[in-house]
Amino acid sequence: MIECIDLTKYFGDFLAVDHINLMVDKGEVLALLGPNGAGKTTTVRMMTSILQPSSGTARLAGYDVVTEPEKVRAHVGVLTEQHGLYERMKGMEYLEFFGRVYHLSAEECRKRALDLMERFGLTDALDKRLGEYSKGMKQKLALVRAMLHNPPVLLLDEPTSAMDPLSAKQVRDAIIELQKGQRTFLITTHNLTEAQLLADRIAIIRHGRIIANGTFNELVQQFVGQPMMELRINGQLNGLGRELSDIVTVQSAGINWLRYQVEDAQVTNPLVLRRLLTLGVEVVTLSPVTQTLEDVYLQVVKEDETNGN
Amino acid sequence: MATDTASQLDNRWKTLRITLSNAWIVTQREVRDSFRDWRIVAPIIILTFLFPFLAQFLATEFQEFVEGYGADLIGERTIPFLLMVVGFFPISISLVIALETFVGEKERRSLEPLLSTPLTNTELYIGKTLAAMIPPLIASFGGMTVYLGSLLFSELAWRPPAMLIVQIILLTAVQALVMVTGAVVVSSQTNSTRAANLLASFIIIPMALIIQGESVIMFLAPDADSPFGIGALWAIILGMFIVAVLFLRVGNSIFNREELLASTVSQLNLRGTLGKIKRYILAVDDTGTPAKNILDWYRRAIPYSLYQIATPLKVTTGVFIFAFMVGFFVSFTPQWHLQLPSQEELVEVANRDAKQFISYAIETRSLSFMFIFMQNSRVLLATLLLSIFSFGVMALVIPPITLALLGYITGTVLSAGYNPMVLVAGILTHGIIEIPVILLSAAVSLAVGAVVTRPPKGSTVGHAWTVMLGTTLKLIIGVVIPGLILAGLIESFVTPRLVLSILGI
């Protein structure tokens, strides 16, 4: 559904996007993460044929961004960084205008608009001027606009950035529901928790290059390494690490806890527990340390920096 | 074949209909938005419904006043002048709306959702241009109707000539178009409404001068009462229409997604720009590959640049030939025909006054190399600069005058029965170098001026202009200047001797 092949963009002599290759299948959600100025927005703009690639190309919903820009834009819904709402218009008027631009019939447009407004809890604001909308409401309306023509591909730039937790959940639920309906999403965000919750795959972009791309587990495996276990005991460790050194390598430790990495928890943990039982150590908890996307992200960026980029 | 042409026309018509229909969606929204803005509505109401009555009152009072001094004509001509003023005031708002819709949206970054839709750049541009014009034109035509209506019922009971009303309506419409399209060009140079308002002086000042000119014409034109309208006003309408078309083309190339979103940095980078121009002066191709040495530059870079300006060269050649022919044929028309003395008489006069002529030439240095070179350079430099500001138009106006003069001289000399070799010696000796050099210089001036109206596909206006300026300077440095030096030397040292020897002096 989304395919970028060596997508590159120069602004004068400045290389903003450097030979990006991405593939997002139908019904998949890809989160594109990266620091400010990494090239996320430029990539999205090229995907929507707003900016022409300097070289390479992309295909969205089967259409080429270079040769079929209007078709690409007709089949893609975009939530832009700036929502660009017309403050003097009313909610419904605004959606009707975009409905006409996408050549929806008046009836179809109204029906879709009402459905989406209801889904995002905006029904009461239909006849309000957009200038009176709160920041979160504006963002939701912009999202409704992006979904109005029922596009098979949605490119969302920070979809929940200005929203309260309840609204953000509404948006996430909507994305999950639409994904079930085989919509394809590319989401750029700084909210790593949200990316972890929503994305099937995650790509990290830095200095215009994709420096990591895969499922969360793949990225954890690749960048953070094997799963980490945390053992907490009753009392102090008193050289317990040495006693376990033939089974595991302790990575870090405190007064009454230690952490070790395991290749296969099912094999290693029973051995550890048996040894602790033999030693008469009272175990309080033995649990996996949850790896977050933040750990992965920071590690990826750190490694990229170490590589001199 | 005929079916193919018919189907092509049909397709074009369909595309045009779709373009206009999509543009109209944008226009409707923007017009509706404008009519919700009190800053636009209030002046429109005042200028449509109140100002015409004030103008009518002024007209009545002024006419009575000047009649007291027997200047009835001035009073009478004030009435159509005020009609023009009533029409012009509201359209000045179009500039404000245009700056607001184009720069304001850019400033607020609210354009991007619209750019993400399937609307084409042209549809957006037409839609917004119409939207900036419609409310002010409604106010303008409304104001003129109110003014004319009030005149009909006033004691003046003035009946305007129908053609004058047509002219004023056309002037108003074309002025609005020039201001709006000019505003798009201005707005492309900035990202803030404040800066755009400052740059709008480039539109307001010339427009104010034109209005003053129109006023003078309306008062003084000898054909003011002609049923065909005032000739000078027709010329202004035509001239402004051409300017509007050029602005439209420039605006259409500037108003594209790439330009709108890429040029978010309005910081002046003079060093970078100069570096880029230098790069394209030295370049042997479009990508900026530098020439290895001067020989390589002449062998590859110059021919490549000549190839790049092939179309302007063809156009300029056509215009030059046309100008020469016009000059040639004009020389035979009775009212322009110049009676020269016979060749024998000329030789006699030349022999008699040779000393005086030579001392005059020495005194004024009119035949010195420096004089000739500087004169030619000055004209070509002026052409280049004026072309840059006139989208290339002046390149097809100034240099062809020389060709028209040459045609005129040729016709006059031949009709006087002179030895044709005089012409060959007097013109072609240096002209064989000078004329192609002038032609080339005019062609590059046309190219660098016109490139902004249609940059190559995939290139921004700024980039295309920088590349073309590099090409222009390359050809000027590599061909035009050496050519002018050579032609100047020949004209100064060889041509006079040859002419004199042919005339037997």
Side-chain angles (χ1 to χ4, degrees):
Chain A
M1 262 294 156
I2 300 176
E3 189 183 6
C4 299
I5 307 148
D6 279 333
L7 204 59
T8 305
K9 182 70 188 176
Y10 278 94
F11 291 115
D13 293 330
F14 174 69
L15 178 59
V17 173
D18 185 4
H19 294 87
I20 277 186
N21 288 290
L22 279 177
M23 180 82 88
V24 191
D25 289 329
K26 194 174 176 182
E28 217 178 20
V29 177
L30 176 87
L32 186 62
L33 311 178
N36 292 328
K40 299 190 295 286
T41 303
T42 304
T43 306
V44 170
R45 283 176 176 174
M46 282 193 283
M47 284 183 185
T48 40
S49 294
I50 295 180
L51 291 179
Q52 278 229 328
S54 304
S55 65
T57 192
R59 289 182 75 81
L60 277 89
Y63 299 104
D64 191 292
V65 295
V66 178
T67 56
E68 301 162 295
E70 278 90 31
K71 283 185 179 159
V72 168
R73 290 197 290 267
H75 289 84
V76 173
V78 188
L79 175 71
T80 50
E81 203 178 356
Q82 308 288 330
H83 308 135
L85 303 181
Y86 301 111
E87 309 260 301
R88 282 189 286 270
M89 286 184 109
K90 292 175 181 171
M92 193 44 131
E93 269 178 2
Y94 180 75
L95 294 175
E96 278 169 353
F97 164 64
F98 276 92
R100 287 182 68 195
V101 167
Y102 284 105
H103 299 296
L104 299 182
S105 69
E107 194 188 346
E108 193 188 352
C109 173
R110 202 169 170 79
K111 190 176 170 301
R112 291 252 339 134
L114 287 171
D115 279 354
L116 288 164
M117 293 287 268
E118 195 183 339
R119 176 181 284 176
F120 289 108
L122 289 174
T123 316
D124 293 342
L126 276 170
D127 290 320
K128 262 191 183 176
R129 298 237 182 265
L130 303 188
E132 297 168 31
Y133 276 39
S134 69
K135 217 171 169 186
M137 285 164 81
K138 284 180 181 173
Q139 183 144 1
K140 282 199 271 186
L141 185 71
L143 207 54
V144 170
R145 177 198 66 215
M147 295 174 176
L148 186 67
H149 57 296
N150 207 6
V153 177
L154 281 141
L155 309 177
L156 311 179
D157 201 346
E158 297 284 348
T160 59
S161 62
M163 291 182 187
D164 58 70
L166 187 67
S167 300
K169 189 176 179 314
Q170 275 177 335
V171 170
R172 281 197 296 271
D173 289 346
I175 291 172
I176 291 165
E177 202 183 314
L178 284 164
Q179 188 196 4
K180 281 182 200 154
Q182 294 296 290
R183 297 281 176 281
T184 306
F185 286 87
L186 186 142
I187 300 170
T188 68
T189 181
H190 289 295
N191 185 338
L192 301 180
T193 315
E194 186 172 276
Q196 199 178 338
L197 274 171
L198 288 175
D200 298 306
R201 284 193 306 114
I202 293 147
I204 300 175
I205 184 171
R206 189 163 183 265
H207 298 319
R209 286 179 310 108
I210 298 286
I211 52 173
N213 186 3
T215 62
F216 173 67
N217 288 335
E218 283 169 358
L219 294 182
V220 169
Q221 190 74 29
Q222 190 183 344
F223 292 96
V224 186
Q226 293 163 343
M228 183 84 73
M229 303 305 300
E230 186 178 277
L231 171 72
R232 283 186 180 271
I233 61 164
N234 202 0
Q236 293 191 351
L237 290 180
N238 289 335
L240 186 62
R242 271 195 313 275
E243 298 288 343
L244 296 173
S245 62
D246 57 324
I247 309 171
V248 292
T249 308
V250 174
Q251 299 290 328
S252 55
I255 297 170
N256 62 347
W257 62 269
L258 60 82
R259 283 179 177 183
Y260 58 87
Q261 278 186 310
V262 286
E263 198 173 324
D264 187 346
Q266 280 187 325
V267 175
T268 312
N269 285 349
L271 291 175
V272 170
L273 288 172
R274 215 170 292 147
R275 175 70 57 85
L276 293 171
L277 207 61
T278 318
L279 295 169
V281 176
E282 288 179 13
V283 175
V284 178
T285 56
L286 176 62
S287 55
V289 176
T290 313
Q291 304 283 6
T292 62
L293 186 55
E294 190 175 320
D295 299 325
V296 176
Y297 179 82
L298 293 174
Q299 184 61 29
V300 170
V301 172
K302 194 175 149 192
E303 277 190 25
D304 194 51
E305 264 171 13
T306 316
N307 293 337
N309 295 312
Chain B
M1 188 76 176
T3 326
D4 279 357
T5 317
S7 94
Q8 270 179 6
L9 278 174
D10 194 39
N11 281 341
R12 278 190 183 180
W13 173 239
K14 263 187 203 159
T15 312
L16 180 69
R17 253 189 13 220
I18 293 168
T19 301
L20 292 177
S21 147
N22 286 342
W24 188 241
I25 298 171
V26 178
T27 305
Q28 280 178 308
R29 192 210 73 76
E30 304 246 344
V31 168
R32 195 191 283 182
D33 216 36
S34 289
F35 280 122
R36 281 178 178 160
D37 188 346
W38 70 267
R39 292 168 301 177
I40 293 169
V41 173
I44 283 178
I45 289 173
I46 292 167
L47 293 170
T48 309
F49 297 108
L50 300 179
F51 185 66
F53 288 107
L54 179 66
Q56 185 261 326
F57 171 73
L58 271 175
T60 314
E61 292 297 312
F62 189 67
Q63 194 173 36
E64 278 173 19
F65 173 74
V66 291
E67 266 173 11
Y69 295 92
D72 296 12
L73 193 67
I74 294 178
E76 197 177 289
R77 293 204 176 160
T78 305
I79 301 170
F81 162 70
L82 283 171
L83 176 65
M84 189 180 77
V85 173
V86 166
F88 177 74
F89 271 29
I91 60 159
S92 58
I93 301 170
S94 63
L95 190 64
V96 180
I97 300 179
L99 291 177
E100 168 59 25
T101 43
F102 289 101
V103 194
E105 283 222 49
K106 236 163 112 178
E107 193 175 34
R108 290 191 298 273
R109 312 267 305 268
S110 59
L111 211 49
E112 202 171 339
L114 210 50
L115 301 181
S116 311
T117 65
L119 292 171
T120 63
N121 294 329
T122 307
E123 287 162 358
L124 284 169
Y125 176 62
I126 295 175
K128 283 180 165 284
T129 303
L130 284 175
M133 284 176 65
I134 288 174
L137 279 180
I138 289 174
S140 171
F141 296 148
M144 284 198 276
T145 311
V146 171
Y147 175 70
L148 287 172
S150 68
L151 278 179
L152 284 176
F153 295 105
S154 76
E155 56 195 70
L156 285 169
W158 177 72
R159 298 286 187 280
M163 196 52 83
L164 186 63
I165 295 185
V166 171
Q167 283 192 310
I168 292 175
I169 287 172
L170 285 175
L171 265 177
T172 310
V174 87
Q175 278 163 352
L177 189 59
V178 167
M179 285 204 283
V180 170
T181 50
V184 181
V185 176
V186 162
S187 64
S188 71
Q189 305 306 312
T190 172
N191 291 318
S192 78
T193 319
R194 197 178 57 167
N197 279 321
L198 289 172
L199 286 172
S201 312
F202 286 105
I203 303 166
I204 292 284
I205 293 169
M207 198 54 79
L209 291 172
I210 289 169
I211 296 286
Q212 285 172 34
E214 286 167 9
S215 315
V216 172
I217 289 167
M218 291 183 89
F219 276 101
L220 301 179
D223 54 351
D225 298 319
S226 162
F228 302 109
I230 301 172
L233 286 187
W234 282 124
I236 291 177
I237 291 168
L238 181 69
M240 289 190 59
F241 182 73
I242 292 170
V243 172
V245 170
L246 287 169
F247 271 154
L248 268 171
R249 286 200 59 168
V250 178
N252 195 25
S253 27
I254 288 170
F255 194 82
N256 66 64
R257 290 164 159 85
E258 191 83 20
E259 290 272 343
L260 289 168
L261 291 175
S263 56
T264 48
V265 182
S266 47
Q267 197 180 339
L268 182 67
N269 181 5
L270 200 57
R271 188 182 285 185
T273 309
L274 290 176
K276 218 186 239 182
I277 293 169
K278 185 182 161 197
R279 194 170 135 211
Y280 284 108
I281 292 175
L282 300 174
V284 295
D285 55 30
D286 253 355
T287 57
T289 315
K292 289 173 198 146
N293 49 45
I294 190 155
L295 272 179
D296 188 43
W297 190 66
Y298 267 105
R299 201 170 53 80
R300 290 203 292 158
I302 297 285
Y304 183 76
S305 295
L306 287 172
Y307 169 74
Q308 273 183 310
I309 60 151
T311 307
L313 260 176
K314 283 178 200 161
V315 172
T316 316
T317 309
V319 172
F320 271 35
I321 292 170
F322 178 74
F324 183 86
M325 299 304 284
V326 168
F328 184 78
F329 288 114
V330 162
S331 72
F332 292 98
T333 55
Q335 67 266 40
W336 290 99
H337 184 68
L338 187 68
Q339 194 64 50
L340 287 183
S342 70
Q343 190 171 332
E344 291 72 29
E345 282 171 327
L346 180 78
V347 170
E348 196 187 314
V349 171
N351 270 324
R352 194 183 60 213
D353 299 335
K355 221 173 182 178
Q356 199 184 341
F357 172 72
I358 288 164
S359 61
Y360 173 78
I362 290 167
E363 196 181 310
T364 58
R365 297 182 177 180
S366 55
L367 277 179
S368 78
F369 158 71
M370 268 321 275
F371 178 84
I372 293 166
F373 174 72
M374 288 309 289
Q375 171 66 10
N376 285 336
S377 304
R378 204 161 43 200
V379 172
L380 294 182
L381 180 67
T383 305
L384 175 65
L385 295 176
L386 288 169
S387 292
I388 289 172
F389 289 103
S390 65
F391 310 115
V393 172
M394 294 317 277
L396 300 178
V397 174
I398 300 171
I401 293 172
T402 315
L403 269 294
L405 281 173
L406 273 181
Y408 182 80
I409 292 166
T410 307
T412 307
V413 170
L414 289 180
S415 66
Y418 285 21
N419 179 358
M421 284 310 288
V422 175
L423 281 174
V424 174
I427 296 172
L428 285 187
T429 308
H430 60 275
I432 203 149
I433 293 164
E434 196 178 71
I435 294 169
V437 163
I438 293 173
L439 180 77
L440 179 63
S441 176
V444 289
S445 302
L446 171 64
V448 77
V451 73
V452 291
T453 66
R454 185 181 264 191
K457 213 173 173 192
S459 173
T460 62
V461 173
H463 179 73
W465 192 78
T466 312
V467 173
M468 190 48 80
L469 188 63
T471 301
T472 301
L473 293 175
K474 181 194 295 178
L475 290 172
I476 287 175
I477 295 165
V479 183
V480 175
I481 293 176
L484 286 180
I485 292 173
L486 192 59
L489 287 170
I490 294 171
E491 191 173 354
S492 177
F493 296 109
V494 182
T495 304
R497 286 177 174 79
L498 260 178
V499 173
L500 291 176
S501 78
I502 285 168
L503 288 171
I505 299 171

